[in-house]
Amino acid sequence: MNSYDSDRIAEILLLAGHIKTSLPEDADIVVINTCNVREKAQEKLFSDLGRIALIKAKAAEKGRSVIILVVGCVAQALGKEIFARADCVDIVLGPQAYQNIQKSIEEVISQKQCPEVKMQKNFIVDTTMSAEDKFKLLPRNRTLVKLPSAFISIQEGCDKFCTYCSVPYTRGREYSRPTSEIISEANQLVSSGAREIFLLGQNVSAYNGKYSSSAVCSFTELLFLISSIKGVERIRYTTSHPCDITTELMKAHKEISSLMPFIHLPAQSGSDIILKKMNRGYSRSQYIKIINEFRKILPNIAFSSDFIVGFPGETETDFEATCALVDEVSYAQAYSFKYSPRPQTPSSKWDQIDEQTKIRRLAVLQEIINKHQLHYNQSMEGKELLVLIEKEGRYENQVIGKTEYMQSVHLSAPKNFIGKVFPVKISRGFQNSLSGKLVG
Ligand code: SAH
Ligand code: SF4
């Protein structure tokens, strides 16, 4: 989602006449988009700001002023505290306020030209929380399109309030974009060359956007609408919450041929006690039931997940239940994180697990996840898979594509095959990728 937001920010700035530079030393405006989900991501902001402050100071010595903006979820969570920790920053904009970026920049420029305020620095903070207003004001035309796989945010914010998560406090309440807006964005992306539409949201399966003045559209209905757009060869989505998976959605995976048989379905933990403390709203057996029902409808479907280790109160038995869940589901891939206490959340106030235990549990879990991933990738050897060629590889005549199951495949093919789907015979399965040959 941050990647989508960064593209939209760049689109606004390009439309206002700014140009992009690849070197921060050349920039008059630096925008840092931020993530607040874990503390590590937040700390990265301040180390980046340290580096950029030096660039700003050097530019000032030459009489050139640089405007620095911090955007996104850390901006929302810390607000004006950011100025106290990094006084090089001029503007702080939350994730639902970046449509105002150009206006804020113009305001800072006019302040800089005004001698009375030169002495006393004025900061701009906008942490408005309305996703609806943001989408209304974003440019209609998508000009920066990552090809051939393009993101569209369809839903933002979250009402689930998992006890570890900062998203409801930074992105705000759940908001679904109107259906017509999404369809028009998808049409535009396809006419610019996108072949895969990747739908994004904190909880896409809860999508219920306005379809007309009296009707709403469910997530499954939206998938059908997108699949009917000529030129859409693949549809993916992330993230879906287990509680909002419906039988209709499961069936849609069989009925819509362009809907990829790969689902990111975060479990977070395999222990019922921890799932309850996390306020996830499902038990281990309910989660497994969803996986089994999906597999009954579509036997070849693959899953990925997110896991948190070291949640407050997690015992060895709870942790072992998580490892056992990974073995039981046998994920094609999975992300795992050490629990990071986020200041706004309830669980940050509970008794914490020590860092060494978290480190050890993460290493153990990742080994199990990796074992399943390698096994899954190796099970593809000798198979013929459909691969969307996405980009050039590192070597001459090499390209990289994606299977329907999200695996990266390295193969030899001419550059003009990028953006098209080809059958590829898989020769080797590695830890993080596959290699293969074009068929025919
Ligand atoms: N809406 C998605 C997740 C969004 S956040 C869902 O419900 O699954 C992405 C991932 O970050 C989460 O799945 C979780 O595994 C991880 N995460 C969120 N808060 C965290 C925290 N405080 N510490 C560690 N990991 C966290
Ligand atoms: Fe965070 Fe996802 Fe839980 Fe919402 S459902 S609170 S985004 S982890």
Side-chain angles (χ1 to χ4, degrees):
M1 187 167 282
N2 267 6
S3 166
Y4 175 86
D5 287 340
S6 297
D7 283 351
R8 306 287 346 235
I9 289 167
E11 280 170 356
I12 300 171
L13 296 179
L14 291 171
L15 199 66
H18 301 285
I19 50 169
K20 225 172 170 178
T21 166
S22 50
L23 287 177
E25 287 78 5
D26 292 341
D28 299 316
I29 299 167
V30 178
V31 186
I32 307 180
N33 196 9
T34 58
C35 173
N36 189 53
V37 165
R38 283 169 293 275
E39 195 183 355
K40 209 164 144 190
Q42 193 185 95
E43 284 316 309
K44 196 167 176 290
L45 164 68
F46 290 102
S47 61
D48 284 348
L49 281 174
R51 228 167 11 92
I52 291 161
L54 294 177
I55 294 174
K56 182 169 176 158
K58 268 204 183 139
E61 280 169 20
K62 293 183 189 144
R64 185 167 66 88
S65 61
V66 174
I67 298 173
I68 300 180
L69 297 95
V70 176
V71 186
C73 289
V74 178
Q76 187 70 36
L78 298 186
K80 55 180 185 315
E81 234 183 281
I82 292 177
F83 302 121
R85 281 187 67 180
D87 71 354
C88 61
V89 176
D90 301 277
I91 300 169
V92 167
L93 298 177
Q96 310 304 12
Y98 66 71
Q99 72 280 11
N100 302 327
I101 193 165
Q102 175 60 17
K103 210 173 81 202
S104 316
I105 291 170
E106 281 167 13
E107 227 172 284
V108 168
I109 291 172
S110 66
Q111 279 175 17
K112 283 188 197 290
Q113 286 161 351
C114 174
E116 307 90 74
V117 288
K118 241 186 188 165
M119 305 301 290
Q120 172 208 340
K121 190 170 167 177
N122 282 349
F123 309 108
I124 295 176
V125 189
D126 190 346
T127 46
T128 318
M129 283 281 257
S130 170
E132 184 174 356
D133 292 348
K134 175 180 76 181
F135 283 111
K136 263 191 208 144
L137 290 169
L138 285 179
R140 285 284 146 251
N141 284 344
R142 294 292 312 273
T143 48
L144 278 179
V145 184
K146 291 207 174 92
L147 297 176
S149 177
F151 289 140
I152 306 183
S153 274
I154 62 161
Q155 177 273 336
E156 267 199 46
C158 186
D159 292 345
K160 295 267 189 286
F161 287 91
C162 299
T163 54
Y164 52 82
C165 183
S166 67
V167 168
Y169 309 94
T170 55
R171 290 261 172 189
R173 307 310 295 265
E174 222 165 82
Y175 167 74
S176 296
R177 292 177 71 191
T179 313
S180 59
E181 212 177 281
I182 297 168
I183 299 298
S184 133
E185 199 170 319
N187 270 311
Q188 263 189 52
L189 293 169
V190 171
S191 57
S192 307
R195 291 293 162 259
E196 177 174 279
I197 297 293
F198 210 133
L199 304 176
L200 303 176
Q202 267 80 35
N203 183 11
V204 287
S205 41
Y207 176 82
N208 65 345
K210 201 164 151 205
Y211 185 65
S212 64
S213 55
S214 58
V216 291
C217 173
S218 71
F219 181 55
T220 308
E221 286 163 340
L222 180 69
L223 291 173
F224 275 100
L225 288 172
I226 291 186
S227 71
S228 66
I229 297 174
K230 207 167 165 272
V232 173
E233 294 193 32
R234 289 185 164 191
I235 306 172
R236 297 187 188 275
Y237 59 85
T238 199
T239 297
S240 43
H241 190 286
C243 288
D244 294 305
I245 300 285
T246 58
T247 313
E248 287 71 44
L249 176 59
M250 292 186 189
K251 286 189 188 148
H253 273 269
K254 201 175 169 90
E255 290 157 5
I256 304 176
S257 58
S258 52
L259 189 56
M260 292 294 99
F262 177 88
I263 300 180
H264 183 60
L265 195 66
Q268 312 297 356
S269 169
S271 152
D272 279 342
I273 300 167
I274 297 298
L275 286 172
K276 201 160 179 125
K277 285 189 180 162
M278 286 176 163
N279 191 31
R280 287 294 288 176
Y282 53 85
S283 64
R284 177 201 176 94
S285 63
Q286 284 167 330
Y287 180 86
I288 294 278
K289 195 165 162 238
I290 297 168
I291 298 274
N292 290 343
E293 280 174 20
F294 260 124
R295 283 183 169 151
K296 213 154 65 194
I297 291 171
L298 205 68
N300 67 343
I301 201 156
F303 294 95
S304 71
S305 182
D306 289 345
F307 289 99
I308 296 176
V309 299
F311 184 80
E314 185 189 66
T315 61
E316 266 325 285
T317 315
D318 294 321
F319 173 63
E320 279 159 20
T322 298
C323 298
L325 179 70
V326 175
D327 277 331
E328 188 171 346
V329 176
S330 186
Y331 294 97
Q333 61 180 70
Y335 303 95
S336 47
F337 314 102
K338 282 187 291 174
Y339 168 77
S340 169
R342 310 307 299 125
Q344 309 96 322
T345 63
S347 65
S348 65
K349 282 134 202 129
W350 303 343
D351 272 355
Q352 302 294 312
I353 299 279
D354 68 278
E355 188 62 17
Q356 281 316 308
T357 306
K358 285 190 202 172
I359 292 172
R360 177 178 53 78
R361 288 182 185 164
L362 187 66
V364 172
L365 182 64
Q366 287 185 338
E367 207 179 307
I368 302 171
I369 289 170
N370 287 343
K371 177 188 79 184
H372 286 281
Q373 185 176 3
L374 179 62
H375 181 257
Y376 185 70
N377 287 346
Q378 286 175 339
S379 74
M380 298 291 157
E381 290 177 3
K383 287 189 181 156
E384 213 177 282
L385 301 181
L386 290 173
V387 173
L388 171 62
I389 313 287
E390 291 192 341
K391 56 182 180 191
E392 282 181 68
R394 223 184 307 157
Y395 306 106
E396 210 177 317
N397 206 32
Q398 189 196 46
V399 291
I400 303 173
K402 286 259 164 62
T403 69
E404 293 180 303
Y405 313 103
M406 269 309 253
Q407 297 145 301
S408 290
V409 189
H410 295 81
L411 66 148
S412 289
K415 261 196 293 193
N416 62 355
F417 278 28
I418 292 172
K420 298 188 182 84
V421 176
F422 291 96
V424 172
K425 179 134 184 192
I426 303 303
S427 38
R428 290 284 301 277
F430 305 99
Q431 184 63 56
N432 296 310
S433 65
L434 308 174
S435 64
K437 280 200 174 77
L438 284 170
V439 175

